Amino acid sequence: MTQDITYTTKTKQLIDNLKSVCANYGLGNDGNEFKIISQVFLYKFLNDKFRYEVKKKKQQLGKEVDEDLLMDLLDENVPKLKPHQLIAHLHNTQNTDDFAKTFDDTLRDISVENTGIFSIKSFSGAKDKLFDELSQYISDSSQRDDFCRALINKLFEFSFEESFEDYFAEKYDFFKDIFEYLIKDYNSDSGGKYAEYYTPNAVARIIANILVDPENIGKGKCYDPSVGSGSLLMSLAHQIGEDKCTIYSEDISQKSSTMLRLNLILNNLTHSIPNVIKTNTIAQPFYWEKQSFDYIVSNPPFKLDFSDFRDDLEKDTFKERFFAGIPKVPKAKKESMAIYLLFIQHIMGSLNDSGKAAIVVPTGFITAQSGIEKKIRQRLIDKGWLRGVVSMPSNIFASTGTNVSVIIIDKKAGTEQIVLMDASKLGKTVKEGKNQRTVLSREEERQIIEVFNSKEAEEDLSVVVTKTEIQEKNYSFSAGQYFEVKIEYVDITAEEFQEKLSGFEERLSGLFAEGKRLDGVIQKQLKGLSYE
C-alpha cells in the first residue's frame, strides 16, 4: 500500500510539472492542455513498458541478443520502439536544430509503427492516432522547440528518479486516482454533456468479488458500455485473471478512451485494446447483436440530455432493446433525462444465457412505484435474474452527492434467495477539499462481500427474500422495507404496572389543568385587543 501511495504521489507530481509547462507557454486550462498531458503520459508509458519488457526478455535469455532478433522475440502486444525513439535519446539530442520537428516526427513514427496494437476504433471502424503534432498547439512557432524541450526534460527527470518499470507487475487498482486527478480540471461535477464520473475503488472491489466465484473461474468476456477510465473492468480482470479475460468497452468520450488505453497497457491487458470502441452506446451500439457477454459492469451517467436522438430510439430497431420504455423529454431541464434507464435495459439484453452484471444506479430506482423503473424491476424478478442489491452509504462518490445502490444481475440467480442489503450506515466521513466523502474500510468491504455471497440475513444490514415477497411489496428492492419490526417487551408485576399507570394519570391531569389555565389567559388577552 505504501508503494501504491508513493507511485500515485510521484505521478501526480509529474502531472503538475507538465501542467506547469503548458501554463508557461500559454496553454494553462486551454482546450488542448488535456490532449498534451495525456499523450505525453502515453509516450511515457510506452517508453517504460518497452524498456521493462526488453530487460525482462534479456534476463530470460541470459545472454546478449542482436537487437533486431530481440524485437522479434518480444510479445506481439508489447510496444515496439527504436533506440532513437526513447525518452533518453530525445533528452540527449534536444539541443539540435528543429527539435520540435524531431519530437513530433518521433511520436508520429511510434504511432504508425504501433497502430495495430494501441489504436482505438470508432463506431465507423476508423482508428485514431496515438499522437497529435503536439508542438503545433503553440501558436508562436519560435517557442515550439523550447516547449518540446521542456516536455522531454520533465519526462527525463521523472525517468531518472522514478520509472514506471517497477510497477508493471503490480495490480493497478489505484490508477483510478490518477485518472480522476488528471481530468478533474476538464470536467464539470454537475454533469453536463457526457461528463465522467469516478467509481470508488471500494465499490469496484466489492462488485468484482461478488460477481466472480473464486471456486469456478473460467475464461470470460467482460464488457462495460460506459467505461470511463475502466476502474470497474480493471478490478474485474484482476479477480478473474488478466490472462483469462477479454475486455470489451464502449464510451462516447475521447478522454475516457485515452485513459482506458493507458490503463490496459499498465494492467497487462493490451490484447483488449482493439475492443475499445469510441461511440454513443445508446444511439450507435457497436456490440449489440454482435456479441454477448459473461460479465458486464457499469457506472452509467444517471442524467443526461439525449433529446437530440431520443425520437430515433422509438424506431422498431430499438424497441426490443428498450422493452420498458424510453424517458420522455421534459419541458424544462432536458439535462435531467434519466439515461441510466436505457443503459440498464441495454445491459440486460447484452448478457449471455449465464451472464452476470453489476450496475450502479441512483437509490431512487429501487423503490419507484411506477414507470420505466418498475417495469425493469418486474422483469428482473419475474425472470429470476436478480441476485441482489447493495445500497451504499451517502457521499461514497466524490463527484456526486446522489445516493447510489448496486444492482447485481445473474441469469442463473433463481427466485428463492435474493439478497437485499442496506450498507448505508457503514463507512467513515472524510473531507476532500470542499466536499465530504464516505470511505469504507477494508473490513467493511469484506463484511459486505461475505454477507452477500453467503446469502446471510444480518440484523439491520441484510435480508434474504423470495420472488413472491418482492412481488407483494410492489417489486421494491429496498432492504429496509423487509427488515423485521421488533418490539421489545419487559416483564413487570401488577403493582409496577399500577404504579406506572398512576404516574401517567397524574401527569395527564397536570397537563389538562395547565391547558385550562392557558385557555383563560388567551381569552383575557383577546378581550383586551382593540382596533386603532
Side-chain angles (χ1 to χ4, degrees), residues 194-220:
Y194 308 117
E196 287 85 6
Y197 294 95
Y198 322 114
T199 307
N201 289 332
V203 175
R205 285 190 292 264
I206 289 168
I207 285 173
N209 280 276
I210 286 176
L211 286 185
V212 180
D213 179 1
E215 303 298 323
N216 186 28
I217 299 178
K219 290 191 174 181

Side-chain angles (χ1 to χ4, degrees), residues 264-282:
L264 292 172
I265 294 169
L266 286 169
N267 283 278
N268 296 321
L269 290 162
T270 305
H271 60 276
S272 292
I273 288 179
N275 304 327
V276 176
I277 305 298
K278 188 180 81 67
T279 188
N280 182 333
T281 307
I282 299 303

Side-chain angles (χ1 to χ4, degrees), residues 317-331:
T317 52
F318 290 103
K319 283 188 175 177
E320 178 188 351
R321 190 159 62 128
F322 302 124
F323 65 89
I326 301 165
K328 297 186 182 301
V329 181
K331 292 181 180 178

Side-chain angles (χ1 to χ4, degrees), residues 126-261:
K127 290 189 174 184
D128 70 344
K129 297 184 298 182
L130 294 184
F131 302 106
D132 297 319
E133 293 185 355
L134 300 184
S135 71
Q136 301 305 303
Y137 292 124
I138 302 296
S139 56
D140 184 349
S141 59
S142 67
Q143 292 187 321
R144 290 173 182 169
D145 287 346
D146 288 339
F147 173 68
C148 293
R149 290 185 184 109
L151 291 177
I152 207 68
N153 282 330
K154 293 301 182 186
L155 292 183
F156 184 77
E157 288 170 11
F158 188 87
S159 295
F160 179 74
E161 295 174 358
E162 186 71 57
S163 171
F164 289 139
E165 291 179 50
D166 298 334
Y167 300 94
F168 282 115
E170 300 295 323
K171 304 294 187 182
Y172 274 74
D173 292 336
F174 52 88
F175 185 75
K176 187 276 307 179
D177 298 326
I178 299 166
F179 170 74
E180 178 177 347
Y181 187 75
L182 181 55
I183 80 165
K184 65 183 173 62
D185 292 336
Y186 313 99
N187 185 47
S188 168
D189 288 345
S190 61
K193 203 76 169 173
Y194 308 117
E196 287 85 6
Y197 294 95
Y198 322 114
T199 307
N201 289 332
V203 175
R205 285 190 292 264
I206 289 168
I207 285 173
N209 280 276
I210 286 176
L211 286 185
V212 180
D213 179 1
E215 303 298 323
N216 186 28
I217 299 178
K219 290 191 174 181
K221 294 178 180 178
C222 306
Y223 171 61
D224 188 335
S226 55
V227 69
S229 67
S231 58
L232 284 173
L233 283 176
M234 295 307 103
S235 287
L236 189 61
H238 296 329
Q239 194 68 19
I240 296 170
E242 294 85 350
D243 58 334
K244 294 180 182 177
C245 69
T246 306
I247 299 296
Y248 299 82
S249 73
E250 295 175 271
D251 201 300
I252 197 169
S253 168
Q254 182 65 51
K255 290 185 297 199
S256 295
S257 297
T258 300
M259 291 297 104
L260 176 60
R261 175 164 50 196

